[in-house]
Amino acid sequence: MLKDSIARRYSSALFSLASEAGAVDATVAELDAFVAALGEDPALAQFFESPVVDRSTKQQILEKTLSGASELVRNFVILLARKRRENLIRIIARQMHELLDRHAGVERATIDMPAPLPADELAALTRRLSDVYKRTIVPQVKVQPELLGGLIVQVGDRYVDASVSGKLEELRRHLLATTDTWPATSTNGKTGD
């Protein structure tokens, strides 16, 4: 969570600069390409994220490596290296997508369900969520048979557990919490004094 909050300052600043330059989509795409390159080349990722590589050497190599990227992205990646925040690059790239979605009035919702919903029911659920959250909701469905029934919906940091397994767990916790307050009963069913 701490990494997320630190990364949020960087992603917000980058998004703001990209918006001013009218290059949000291009900036997000270039950042995605850099993160993808790190994922495909373990040696590059190790070099970029290594805290022991000399900062000035790393900066020179990054300037050459990112010569085809926009000045904004190149300077941003070099800034991360200078500030020793290279390990935040993947989080920042994800947050940039979230900011892009928010800017467009779109929000992703993770919907866990025990079995896939028919397309018309999923569309109706998506419309209801869009009405509730006053944003265009894009559903990301995860099938989890252990839920037994119902749904778990997460939109941003809002979480609603309306699953059967969630309700059973809630009931179990309630029963465990109240067992200390029940009066003792004898074997004949009468309360003891």
Side-chain angles (χ1 to χ4, degrees), residues 118-140:
D120 59 331
E121 289 180 30
L122 181 59
L125 174 62
T126 302
R127 279 192 303 277
R128 281 188 296 226
L129 289 171
S130 294
D131 290 343
V132 167
Y133 290 104
K134 308 284 188 261
R135 302 181 105 25
T136 302
I137 297 293
V138 176
Q140 296 176 322

Side-chain angles (χ1 to χ4, degrees), residues 102-120:
R102 191 171 301 128
H103 182 70
V106 172
E107 184 125 17
R108 299 191 187 285
T110 303
I111 304 172
D112 299 344
M113 56 185 66
L117 281 178
D120 59 331

